[in-house]
Amino acid sequence: MKIRYLLLGIIILASVLRFINLGQVPYGLSNDESSYIYSAYSLWKTGEGIDGTFLPLSFNTDSSNSPVPVYLSAPFVGLLGVSAEAGRLPYILLGIGSIYLVYLLVKLLFDNEVIALLSAAVLSISPWHLHVTRTAYDTVFAMFFLLFGTYLFVRGLKKGSILWSLIPFFLAFYSYHATSLFLFFF
């Protein structure tokens, strides 16, 4: 029972660190963030990318944006409006979900609650993870789906079926361009 409270405390700490001053830190939006947020808004309002393509598989603004982050962010900016807070919200939620997935994966691999809790705690206060999950960059989606796919794959190996892991691996493939380069080897 104490383990659940410790894990809940880690998730609450991670949430507070990611939600505090959400619209102000980091200050402003980068080109990539603006592109993802506005592409998601355009998709929600018109069903088209910024360039007028209906339900595109790639969003081309000043660079090519991966489709999964745009499609999954569309309801947030569509319902909450175009803002840094609404645009960054799905990234924060997936970042917090990644912390929980690290806990589950480490627990599954090592069968040790202490190591799993420590892994989740370290990721929750990691400066890199804090920065990346507070911004609208596609790496957050790729990381979440890679962790989810890996967890389902390892669990599937123990239970006899790895098919469910293919769905998050597919989503990871279309979440970040660099993921497509190493996912086949992975």
Side-chain angles (χ1 to χ4, degrees):
M1 191 57 108
K2 282 200 297 190
I3 298 297
R4 287 186 182 165
Y5 290 126
L6 288 172
L7 180 59
L8 182 63
I10 291 168
I11 298 297
I12 289 171
L13 173 65
S15 301
V16 168
L17 291 174
R18 281 154 184 79
F19 278 108
I20 195 165
N21 293 328
L22 175 59
Q24 293 81 30
V25 178
Y27 184 74
L29 292 171
S30 69
N31 282 353
D32 288 347
E33 285 184 291
S34 299
S35 176
Y36 272 104
I37 292 169
Y38 192 71
S39 292
Y41 182 74
S42 175
L43 181 68
W44 181 263
K45 289 296 183 185
T46 66
E48 299 175 346
I50 295 172
D51 63 353
T53 306
F54 182 70
L55 297 178
L57 293 178
S58 180
F59 292 84
N60 300 311
T61 50
D62 59 340
S63 64
S64 176
N65 293 338
S66 302
V68 171
V70 175
Y71 278 93
L72 294 181
S73 298
F76 290 91
V77 294
L79 296 172
L80 301 174
V82 179
S83 68
E85 293 88 351
R88 290 174 177 167
L89 184 59
Y91 298 85
I92 286 177
L93 295 175
L94 288 182
I96 294 166
S98 294
I99 294 165
Y100 183 65
L101 285 171
V102 163
Y103 166 79
L104 292 176
L105 182 60
V106 171
K107 182 179 171 191
L108 184 66
L109 288 172
F110 297 103
D111 196 28
N112 188 319
E113 292 279 351
V114 174
I115 295 173
L117 283 170
L118 285 173
S119 300
V122 167
L123 187 60
S124 71
I125 61 170
S126 163
W128 172 82
H129 196 260
L130 270 167
H131 173 71
V132 170
T133 58
R134 288 181 60 94
T135 57
Y137 291 128
D138 45 5
T139 54
V140 176
F141 280 82
M143 177 179 47
F144 176 82
F145 288 122
L146 278 173
L147 283 168
F148 191 35
T150 304
Y151 171 73
L152 292 177
F153 182 81
V154 173
R155 192 181 80 173
L157 285 176
K158 294 182 178 195
K159 293 189 175 192
S161 175
I162 60 168
L163 289 178
W164 286 109
S165 68
L166 296 178
I167 296 169
F169 282 142
F170 177 80
L171 292 170
F173 184 85
Y174 286 105
S175 292
Y176 182 53
H177 293 304
T179 309
S180 60
L181 297 174
F182 75 85
L183 193 59
F184 290 115
F185 301 108
F186 181 70

